[in-house]
Amino acid sequence: MHIRPLLLILLLSSTPILSAHELRPAYLGITQVDAQLFKVLWRLPAQGDLRLALNVHLNQAASPLSQPRAQISKGYYTEHWTIHHPRELQQLSIHIDGLQSTMTDALVRISWLDGREQVIRLTPDQPEWTLDQPASEFQVAQTYFVLGVEHILLGVDHLLFVLALILLKQSLRQLIGTITAFTIAHSITLAAAVLGYIHLPSAPVEAIIALSILLAAREAVRQRHGVFSLTCRYPWTIAFAFGLLHGLGFAGVLGEIGLPQGAIPQALLTFNLGVEVGQLVFITAALAVINLYQKLLKHWPGYAIRNREQYSFGEGGGIGIPAATVIAYTLGGIACYWVIERSLLIVFP
């Protein structure tokens, strides 16, 4: 391997920005416990003792009955307190101070004793919201769809696994079948986990997800050296097997914020559709970049291509030995780092 690809692999595998934990949204939960009493939970992603500089401001109609109790645990900063509201939160105004200066979102979920629920998504462009009427089914669907799209596009480890699948030498038809198998598998476990039929600790699941990237990248490299295993001949098998675990990873956000009891099917379906749309966007972008690389490579001065077929993405093709090898080794280096890091978190949580 040339020194430049080696340096690229070492650089990418050690870059902190590629921490695979997606940028999870902030979460505000308000739950009614009595006629005029509500418990408030405010949760933010945290790294060590550092957290996002976001704070919740409620209008004067909501009187705090206790000071917020704060703690940092398992990658989150959380605050708990109780408020009093005389009209069951009618015209409650919520403002997330500092949200407009970030690239994250804040999910707000309000639950009343009579079973009513309200779920809304606040963004940097819309950091304030006033509760006036229950959310429509369309609003719920829109919120969970966008959440699904953002979840997959910010879930670096899931995207790198899909990229590793693209690296495997296969026809376009085979690639579609491989991605479809991955989709079916993670859709099954996503639904099962969110509905409470499956529960596994997140640490080992994330470690195995990192291992799936490593194994897929290894198969891509082995193909380039003329070794065709069962996985290489039937790539949909590895996609389906590890897709079951990736589905548990997708369920992380939904497991934390829950589903609105009055719209579980809509929320689950639209979240999953959002994941699929985000995945298709990534695959389309990846293939476009690959095709652009191939065109540029063919016109690179002094670069002779003895077998042009190996650089075409199609029947019996691939994305070309030089690019695929460098990308596969890079993915392997990143995945190795994550496997070690996440395995240590299992032993030393």
Side-chain angles (χ1 to χ4, degrees):
M1 181 180 292
H2 298 294
I3 185 65
R4 289 183 180 178
L6 178 59
L7 290 175
L8 176 64
I9 293 170
L10 293 175
L11 176 63
L12 289 177
S13 62
S14 60
T15 303
I17 196 172
L18 284 178
S19 174
H21 302 287
E22 66 272 15
L23 184 59
R24 297 179 183 270
Y27 173 68
L28 175 65
I30 302 177
T31 305
Q32 186 177 23
V33 293
D34 201 348
Q36 299 179 355
L37 296 181
F38 295 81
K39 288 185 177 180
V40 181
L41 166 64
W42 175 233
R43 182 170 59 211
L44 297 168
Q47 184 69 36
D49 293 332
L50 301 177
R51 69 175 183 92
L52 292 175
L54 302 178
N55 296 287
V56 177
H57 288 287
L58 307 177
N59 60 2
Q60 296 180 352
S63 305
L65 299 181
S66 62
Q67 292 297 322
R69 303 184 304 277
Q71 66 175 5
I72 294 181
S73 177
K74 297 181 179 180
Y76 285 102
Y77 169 86
T78 58
E79 290 183 355
H80 299 265
W81 70 96
T82 304
I83 61 173
H84 172 271
H85 196 284
R87 300 184 304 278
E88 293 191 329
L89 303 183
Q90 292 182 25
Q91 297 302 311
L92 175 71
S93 177
I94 301 173
H95 179 79
I96 308 298
D97 186 29
L99 188 63
Q100 63 274 15
S101 302
T102 70
M103 297 179 63
T104 190
D105 300 336
L107 293 174
V108 180
R109 182 180 182 184
I110 303 176
S111 303
W112 286 268
L113 286 175
D114 59 8
R116 288 179 295 135
E117 287 188 313
Q118 179 83 309
V119 179
I120 197 71
R121 170 176 161 267
L122 299 181
T123 66
D125 295 330
Q126 185 183 356
E128 187 172 358
W129 171 67
T130 299
L131 176 63
D132 49 9
Q133 59 184 2
S136 66
E137 291 186 359
F138 175 77
Q139 288 175 314
V140 172
Q142 182 184 45
T143 296
Y144 279 86
F145 177 81
V146 173
L147 181 61
V149 173
E150 292 181 344
H151 186 61
I152 180 63
L153 292 182
L154 295 176
V156 182
D157 45 2
H158 304 300
L159 295 182
L160 292 190
F161 180 73
V162 172
L163 180 58
L165 294 177
I166 295 175
L167 292 179
L168 294 174
K169 277 188 175 181
Q170 51 187 321
S171 67
L172 183 58
R173 182 178 179 180
Q174 289 175 317
L175 176 62
I176 293 174
T178 300
I179 298 301
T180 300
F182 179 65
T183 295
I184 293 173
H186 72 62
S187 298
I188 292 173
T189 47
L190 168 63
V194 172
L195 295 176
Y197 295 110
I198 299 176
H199 177 72
L200 292 176
S202 61
V205 169
E206 291 185 354
I208 298 177
I209 287 175
L211 182 62
S212 71
I213 303 171
L214 177 60
L215 294 179
R218 176 178 178 269
E219 292 300 319
V221 171
R222 280 161 57 88
Q223 278 189 336
R224 285 348 190 225
H225 290 85
V227 180
F228 290 87
S229 63
L230 180 64
T231 298
C232 295
R233 292 194 295 270
Y234 304 101
W236 66 269
T237 57
I238 187 174
F240 186 86
F242 284 114
L244 295 172
L245 286 163
H246 280 256
L248 297 177
F250 288 139
V253 166
L254 287 188
E256 293 167 359
I257 67 172
L259 295 171
Q261 295 302 310
I264 290 180
Q266 300 95 313
L268 183 57
L269 175 61
T270 52
F271 179 85
N272 203 35
L273 287 176
V275 169
E276 300 318 313
V277 169
Q279 182 175 282
L280 290 175
V281 168
F282 172 76
I283 292 172
T284 302
L287 292 179
V289 171
I290 289 169
N291 289 330
L292 177 62
Y293 165 80
Q294 292 165 180
K295 291 179 180 179
L296 293 176
L297 185 66
K298 293 177 181 179
H299 296 88
W300 190 262
Y303 196 99
I305 302 177
R306 296 181 180 180
N307 182 6
R308 291 182 178 271
E309 291 184 358
Q310 69 180 343
Y311 293 93
S312 63
F313 193 91
E315 195 71 34
I319 72 167
I321 290 179
T325 301
V326 172
I327 296 174
Y329 273 112
T330 302
L331 294 182
I334 296 171
C336 278
Y337 174 80
W338 285 342
V339 169
I340 296 172
E341 178 190 44
R342 297 177 183 188
S343 298
L344 290 175
L345 288 177
I346 298 174
V347 181
F348 306 103

